[in-house]
Amino acid sequence: MTDYPIALWSFNLGRAPASVDALARAIQDEMRKAADAGAKLLMLPEYFIECCLAFKPAGLPPDREMAFLADVGKDLLNLLAPLPQQHGISLLAGTMPVKTDGGITNTAFLLTADGRQIRQDKLCLTPFEQDPDTWNLTPGNRLAVFELDGLKMAILICLDIEMPALSCLLAKAGPDLILVPSMTEKLSGYHRVYGCAKARAVELMCAVAVCGVVGVSKGTTQNDSSVSGAALYVPCEETLGFTGIAAEIAATDGSNSEEPFLTCGVPMKELGDLKCGKAEVWPGAWSAEAVSISEDALR
């Protein structure tokens, strides 16, 4: 396979749709745009659904926001479900809260052009996400690796990409592309997520695509800012341009209606060649069990 074309949409929460139908129409428009550009996959960010707080019920308390957005998300998914097959492009519909028997999860939904729905719960929640007075979410406990368009992929949601232990688990699966929808309030959070995404590309000899929400949702009670950009990271190799940056749009807070939209190609042939022995130093998957720690060295 040569380059695998993808599109990354760093959604501006200030869009403030008037209804679920209006949001679905806006997403369909961008799917057409991405498909016309040749993309096989369009990714939306974590919690882009927060824009729907613009039409939340009057007086909705903060600890009910997730339940409201879960209901909105269910309606939205029903509207989005036929679009990937209709337009011939898979859609990672960001993340949204989902009601389960064990609580509300933060879950990514990948609607594929071949008719599947692939879910991934966020595994590592921030303290805010677990606050019982606000969003009070429940973490997931399963990391899915799946195939799409001949590529092996995984989804790591925001903070999940910062966890090297998850990278060790993924190493044995040998992913080609990791998708990272994110939401970061400050520039510091942006650099944590994007810097770790770049590290994962080196560790796993794969591509890592990242996009996050920008701007502020009308009606939010919690998030006064969202800062992000969009990027595709690859291993730091001469054949890929040395820097590990295949494509990147700089961070913005979206305050002037900025909305990064990045189309780029995942260099699958080059990545395959590197994994087959042409990389400078990449060791491939290794077992952490082969390394022991001497407690004496820690005293």
Side-chain angles (χ1 to χ4, degrees), residues 107-190:
T107 302
F109 288 85
L110 176 59
L111 309 176
T112 69
D114 58 16
R116 291 175 290 156
Q117 183 187 98
I118 297 168
R119 297 188 180 196
Q120 176 63 58
D121 297 335
K122 190 173 184 179
L123 304 173
C124 305
L125 298 178
T126 65
F128 169 74
E129 287 177 299
Q130 300 177 82
D131 189 334
D133 295 327
T134 51
W135 287 2
N136 195 26
L137 298 180
T138 299
N141 56 17
R142 175 178 170 272
L143 177 57
V145 177
F146 55 91
E147 289 196 5
L148 177 64
D149 297 327
L151 280 70
K152 190 176 290 186
M153 301 186 191
I155 301 168
L156 292 178
I157 302 168
C158 201
L159 184 57
D160 290 345
I161 197 67
E162 299 179 34
M163 301 294 116
L166 294 178
S167 181
C168 289
L169 290 175
L170 282 174
K172 296 178 182 179
D176 300 305
L177 175 62
I178 298 175
L179 304 171
V180 185
S182 72
M183 173 190 238
T184 48
E185 178 186 5
K186 301 175 183 177
L187 195 59
S188 52
Y190 159 82

Side-chain angles (χ1 to χ4, degrees), residues 28-103:
Q28 183 173 27
D29 288 344
E30 295 303 313
M31 289 181 71
R32 291 194 190 100
K33 174 181 173 181
D36 289 345
K40 296 292 186 182
L41 170 68
L42 170 63
M43 179 166 72
L44 275 158
E46 181 183 28
Y47 288 129
F48 85 98
I49 194 80
E50 193 188 17
C51 71
C52 294
L53 291 176
F55 56 83
K56 68 181 182 181
L60 183 73
D63 64 356
R64 295 295 301 164
E65 287 181 354
M66 288 294 99
F68 166 71
L69 291 178
D71 292 338
V72 169
K74 189 174 181 180
D75 293 340
L76 179 63
L77 283 171
N78 287 334
L79 294 172
L80 297 179
L83 300 183
Q85 290 179 288
Q86 180 180 335
H87 296 288
I89 178 173
S90 296
L91 173 68
L92 176 51
T95 79
M96 56 193 73
V98 174
K99 296 176 182 177
T100 73
D101 291 340

